[in-house]
Amino acid sequence: MQDNTDNLVYAGFFVRLAAYLTDMAIISVVLLAVRLPVWFTRIFDAQNILVKDLVFEYSLADILFYVLTATYFVLLTYFTGSTIGKKLFN
């Protein structure tokens, strides 16, 4: 069992949920700049390797978006200790 000698108060479920949703909103806005060209590519050329199904029903673009989202959480936590959503909600 951990000894809480610093009198730290950890965030509850709803505070963590709000921080996560904030982070996802930030990621969605930033990735919109990447998603729009991919969307236009999908409309005009459905056989493009970027939008064609690669693994099961996931395209290369879907995998790229997942990796970019995971990179946001990993790099911000590594370099700053928390994400933007966590900083906003303490």
Side-chain angles (χ1 to χ4, degrees):
M1 176 97 51
Q2 291 179 343
D3 185 20
N4 195 0
T5 59
D6 297 333
N7 294 327
L8 294 175
V9 177
Y10 294 105
F13 173 76
F14 292 106
V15 174
R16 290 176 190 259
L17 178 65
Y20 176 74
L21 292 176
T22 302
D23 285 330
M24 290 309 291
I26 292 168
I27 292 169
S28 296
V29 169
V30 171
L31 285 182
L32 187 62
V34 179
R35 287 184 190 264
L36 284 178
V38 171
W39 183 69
F40 283 119
T41 303
R42 185 169 287 171
I43 288 175
F44 294 120
D45 185 16
Q47 296 302 319
N48 188 344
I49 188 67
L50 190 62
V51 295
K52 190 176 176 183
D53 289 347
L54 184 67
V55 177
F56 301 109
E57 292 183 10
Y58 297 107
S59 67
L60 190 60
D62 294 331
I63 296 169
L64 174 71
F65 295 142
Y66 175 77
V67 168
L68 289 174
T69 302
T71 302
Y72 167 83
F73 286 102
V74 170
L75 290 181
L76 272 178
T77 303
Y78 180 75
F79 286 114
T80 65
S82 64
T83 61
I84 296 171
K86 289 178 185 177
K87 287 181 183 181
L88 285 175
F89 289 94
N90 290 328

